[in-house]
């Protein structure tokens, strides 16, 4: 599981991403300090590459 958290997100606080990481043992968290709530979507292409690499298929 991959979580991407924008450091400038005013909708979801960064602490929530940290909580998710601590409570999802197999997860990875990408902190993107310059992204906001929607700007984190800029990470989609790279996230898709991550998903292909970590696919269990």
């Amino acid at each position: 599981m991959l979580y991407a958290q924008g450091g400038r997100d005013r909708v979801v606080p960064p602490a929530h991403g940290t909580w998710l990481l601590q409570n999802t043992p197999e997860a990875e968290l990408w902190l993107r300090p310059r992204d906001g709530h929607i700007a984190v979507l800029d990470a989609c292409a790279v996230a898709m590459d991550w998903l292909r690499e970590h696919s269990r298929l």
Side-chain angles (χ1 to χ4, degrees), residues 8-34:
R8 295 181 180 173
D9 190 335
R10 292 194 229 174
V11 178
V12 179
H16 185 66
T18 303
W19 183 89
L20 285 169
L21 182 64
Q22 291 171 345
N23 290 278
T24 313
E26 299 166 357
E28 184 174 328
L29 175 63
W30 288 357
L31 295 173
R32 298 178 52 88
R34 295 182 181 162

Side-chain angles (χ1 to χ4, degrees), residues 32-50:
R32 298 178 52 88
R34 295 182 181 162
D35 287 350
H37 188 71
I38 300 299
V40 78
L41 293 176
D42 291 338
C44 283
V46 178
M48 291 297 127
D49 290 340
W50 184 94

